[in-house]
Amino acid sequence: MKIIDAHVHLSHIHSFRHTAINLSHVDYSYHGLKKEMRENNISLAIGMGLRELEGGGGFPCSAASTPMGLDMLPISSDSVLYCAGINPYRLSRQDLYHLERELLQPKLVGIKIYLGYYPFYAFDPIYEPVYALAKDYKLPVVFHAGDTYSERGLLKYSHPLTIDEVAVKHRDVSFVIAHFGDPWMLDAAEVVYKNRNVFADLSGLIIGDEKEVNRITRTPHYFNHMKHALAYCDHYDKFMFGTDWPLVKIKPYIEFIQSHIPSSSWEDVFYHTAKEVFPLIKAT
């Protein structure tokens, strides 16, 4: 079975390096990612662009320029594509010009908005120029949703219900609720079920190495809300596999997701849905 990992990271972020060393025990480098991809039959990975400036207090960084990319990705890479990250504090006319130029890059397949990390709702007018560009260039918009990997995040901005208003207003744009809005998965499931242009990825639900994935998987009731939400939505073809690497090792995470998805839907979740949501990867 071919696999597309629809949510990875490859940027110089301090918290990612700390997690890779102390929790997930992965080689957080381009070569480390490629090694895990080869070992697990992953044909393509999609990185979420972000950046933090030195001395800026870590991510989220209000001074980082738009667009944010993958500053650890070598130019020669042909199996890692990316979504341009948006800093809502940097959306001036000049920033939008640079963003539009970035959208023409051959490795770019989408746009990433970090709800909760930046204190703006998905429906805030500040993002309207971004949605207009997404429509013009036929690119999906991926929203971080749910829990934030930073105490400085504000959870009220990352609730998946806030995406419903955007999906209704912009019917010609595809939207992705990253992390299935965890822990608000049932709310996310309703937004995915209701809106034909909304999908979800299943990344970042566990942080750690194989031992930690096994521990969490065996913890009673830990993922009852996920089972409920997946059953409620009842459209496995609207979900995509993703890991949030380097926060978790790829192999045990594949097995974890497989344990929650009927085998008859594995081809959709692990491959076909990503090709539908990110149409530019069809040419790869």
Side-chain angles (χ1 to χ4, degrees):
M1 181 178 67
K2 289 197 295 186
I3 298 174
I4 294 174
D5 189 334
H7 195 131
V8 304
H9 293 282
L10 206 59
S11 298
H12 291 293
I13 304 297
H14 175 75
S15 61
F16 289 168
R17 291 199 177 280
H18 179 272
T19 298
I21 294 170
N22 296 287
L23 298 176
S24 59
H25 306 123
V26 306
D27 173 7
Y28 185 40
S29 67
Y30 172 71
H31 296 293
L33 174 60
K34 287 286 291 183
K35 181 176 183 293
E36 288 199 54
M37 289 174 64
R38 286 193 302 271
E39 292 172 347
N40 294 284
N41 201 32
I42 293 178
S43 60
L44 192 72
I46 302 174
M48 301 293 137
L50 74 164
R51 187 183 180 204
E52 64 184 21
L53 302 182
E54 190 171 345
F59 185 78
C61 179
S62 61
S65 60
T66 294
M68 297 182 284
L70 307 183
D71 51 20
M72 293 168 58
L73 181 66
I75 296 175
S76 60
S77 173
D78 61 356
S79 58
V80 180
L81 307 178
Y82 71 102
C83 295
I86 302 300
N87 176 0
Y89 292 111
R90 295 289 301 273
L91 284 176
S92 67
R93 181 178 299 179
Q94 183 177 18
D95 294 317
L96 290 169
Y97 169 76
H98 290 305
L99 173 60
E100 186 164 11
R101 289 193 63 182
E102 189 78 10
L103 300 184
L104 299 172
Q105 296 301 310
K107 291 184 176 65
L108 188 139
V109 295
I111 296 171
K112 176 67 183 287
I113 290 177
Y114 290 91
L115 303 181
Y117 290 99
Y118 293 107
F120 299 88
Y121 290 109
F123 52 76
D124 193 291
I126 200 167
Y127 288 125
E128 285 300 315
V130 177
Y131 302 145
L133 286 172
K135 178 182 177 180
D136 290 344
Y137 287 87
K138 296 179 172 58
L139 293 169
V141 175
V142 181
F143 290 110
H144 172 87
D147 185 35
T148 60
Y149 202 50
S150 168
E151 289 184 342
R152 295 190 295 141
L154 295 173
L155 296 175
K156 69 177 183 178
Y157 295 103
S158 63
H159 197 289
L161 280 180
T162 66
I163 296 168
D164 179 53
E165 185 171 335
V166 178
V168 170
K169 185 175 182 179
H170 299 280
R171 305 305 287 172
D172 295 328
V173 178
S174 292
F175 298 99
V176 177
I177 301 176
H179 320 303
F180 200 12
D182 192 33
W184 302 298
M185 287 187 178
L186 191 58
D187 296 312
E190 169 59 20
V191 179
V192 171
Y193 172 82
K194 169 183 173 286
N195 296 288
R196 66 176 184 272
N197 57 330
V198 180
F199 302 80
D201 79 36
L202 300 174
S203 68
L205 306 181
I206 301 178
I207 297 170
D209 57 13
E210 184 171 8
K211 181 179 179 180
E212 182 65 6
V213 172
N214 291 335
R215 184 188 73 83
I216 293 295
T217 301
R218 292 194 298 265
T219 300
H221 312 300
Y222 195 95
F223 282 112
N224 282 0
H225 65 306
M226 180 178 177
K227 295 175 182 177
H228 183 184
L230 287 170
Y232 175 85
C233 188
D234 197 28
H235 281 282
Y236 290 100
D237 58 338
K238 298 197 77 177
F239 293 95
M240 295 181 291
F241 171 75
T243 56
D244 219 5
W245 190 93
L247 303 189
V248 69
K249 283 191 172 179
I250 291 177
K251 185 178 186 297
Y253 202 78
I254 289 174
E255 295 168 351
F256 159 67
I257 295 299
Q258 286 177 330
S259 72
H260 285 80
I261 302 293
S263 59
S264 59
S265 296
W266 284 2
E267 293 286 346
D268 286 330
V269 173
F270 285 91
Y271 190 74
H272 293 300
T273 302
K275 294 196 75 173
E276 177 186 350
V277 172
F278 296 95
L280 293 185
I281 72 176
K282 291 179 179 178
T284 63

